[in-house]
Amino acid sequence: MAEETIFSKIIRKEIPADILYQDDMVTAFRDINPRAPSHILIIPNKLIPTVNDVEADDEMMLGRLFTVARKLAEQEGVSEDGYRLIMNCNPHGGQEVYHIHMHLLGGRPLGPMLVG
Ligand code: AMP
């Protein structure tokens, strides 16, 4: 059984977060340490520790991350200029929280590569 992270508490609203969107499959909230004017994390409500743990049954739920990203990018006003979606995996990928999450970054030119 995977160990819960702080993100499970955010999903259940047990600790405060700036939640921008939530439905039965995903939750999106502002990153506490923003690396761009818009820095949002979009996560599945189901605890999946890393991309290595993704299964075929998760496909619909993970597809939802993209439709929510598209909507939030529009809402943030970054769609036209552009933005970046990132998912880090394990230490070499720079993953810190072991509950998969898509970073949505935008609002400034992000340069050729990577989050922080
Ligand atoms: P990663 O390095 O891809 O695992 O990213 C984890 C992200 O979670 C970092 O950008 C953190 O700033 C962010 N983060 C950690 N704790 C919180 C929190 N309580 N609320 C919002 N974002 C958080």
Side-chain angles (χ1 to χ4, degrees):
M1 208 35 192
E3 218 172 285
E4 280 195 356
T5 73
I6 200 161
F7 289 179
S8 292
K9 291 192 167 68
I10 290 175
I11 292 164
R12 295 195 298 263
K13 303 193 171 135
E14 289 169 8
I15 60 164
D18 189 357
I19 295 179
L20 301 175
Y21 180 88
Q22 187 165 49
D23 65 22
D24 57 324
M25 287 190 198
V26 310
T27 299
F29 50 95
R30 291 198 191 277
D31 196 293
I32 205 165
N33 177 25
R35 260 59 58 80
S38 290
H39 188 172
I40 296 167
L41 301 175
I42 309 162
I43 72 177
N45 294 339
K46 175 186 168 190
L47 170 53
I48 302 172
T50 78
V51 174
N52 292 338
D53 303 300
V54 166
E55 291 170 353
D57 280 355
D58 301 323
E59 282 175 7
M60 202 163 104
M61 184 182 64
L62 297 179
R64 181 73 61 90
L65 300 182
F66 281 91
T67 51
V68 171
R70 200 211 75 198
K71 272 186 216 145
L72 289 175
E74 276 169 23
Q75 207 172 290
E76 293 286 297
V78 301
S79 295
E80 286 270 306
D81 285 336
Y83 53 94
R84 185 171 292 158
L85 301 176
I86 295 177
M87 202 175 268
N88 296 322
C89 181
N90 276 341
H92 282 200
Q95 186 172 4
E96 289 169 5
V97 180
Y98 283 77
H99 181 135
I100 58 170
H101 46 282
M102 177 186 274
H103 294 257
L104 187 166
L105 295 131
R108 66 168 171 83
L110 294 165
M113 268 302 270
L114 305 183
V115 190

